[in-house]
Each structure stands twice: as structure tokens, then as C-alpha cells.
Amino acid sequence: MKVDTMRKIDHLAGVPLCFFVTLLTKLLSIFSFKKTTDVKNVLLIELSEMGSAILVDPAMRKLKSKGASLYFVIFKKNAPSLHLLGTVPKENIFTIR
């Protein structure tokens, strides 16, 4: 699949999906007695562009400081950028050929 096709699919499906999930989460938090949510495990998936891992590093560091376990799926050719950052433990990085 071409990168441009992946971007179009991500934009056309991802934006509305994120909107509705955010809306649902906010509605559930209004009617819930539990006000805090503790994130325990976070899976990040990077299917293209080596620089995306670098851009998301501040968010990963914040999640890690809150006690979340980070897991990352990435193409094997892009994995060195993630290893350089050192935010995600090597045993939690899953590579795809």
C-alpha cells in the first residue's frame, strides 16, 4: 500500500473515529462517579515515516511518568529512531518486516 493511500485512509477514518471516541469518553465521564482514569498499557503503532516516533516522544514520556507501560509496533527499517530515543524498553518494541 502506498503512503499517500495510508494517509487518506487515516484521515478519512481516523479523524471521525477519534472524534466519536472522545465524545463517548467525555459523556461517560460525566455520568461516571470515578473522575480519574489511570492508563496502564499504551500501544502506539507507526506504519510510516521515521520522524513520527520522534514527534510523539514528549507524549510517550508523559505517559511513562504517569506509570503507563509503553508498547510500540513499527517497521523494522524505522526501529532505529525509536531505539535512539530510549523511551520505550526494547522488549516492548515489536517490529514488522
Side-chain angles (χ1 to χ4, degrees):
M1 184 180 296
K2 295 180 182 179
V3 175
D4 288 335
T5 306
M6 287 191 291
R7 284 185 186 142
K8 286 179 184 175
I9 292 170
D10 181 45
H11 181 73
L12 293 174
V15 172
L17 184 62
C18 287
F19 172 77
F20 288 116
V21 170
T22 302
L23 185 63
L24 179 65
T25 304
K26 290 188 184 230
L27 285 172
L28 289 175
S29 70
I30 290 170
F31 298 111
S32 175
F33 293 108
K34 185 180 177 185
K35 293 295 179 188
T36 60
T37 56
D38 295 329
V39 178
K40 295 179 183 171
N41 297 305
V42 177
L43 173 65
L44 298 135
I45 303 171
E46 179 185 328
L47 297 179
S48 65
E49 302 166 351
M50 187 180 288
S52 298
I54 295 166
L55 292 173
V56 79
D57 189 56
M60 291 191 300
R61 290 185 188 278
K62 186 169 184 175
L63 286 166
K64 196 172 182 180
S65 72
K66 292 187 176 198
S69 297
L70 300 176
Y71 298 90
F72 213 101
V73 177
I74 190 169
F75 283 129
K76 191 173 186 175
K77 65 178 182 171
N78 295 340
S81 67
L82 199 56
H83 293 300
L84 286 173
L85 295 172
T87 307
V88 180
K90 290 187 179 187
E91 61 271 8
N92 292 358
I93 299 173
F94 305 100
T95 57
I96 302 170
R97 286 185 306 154

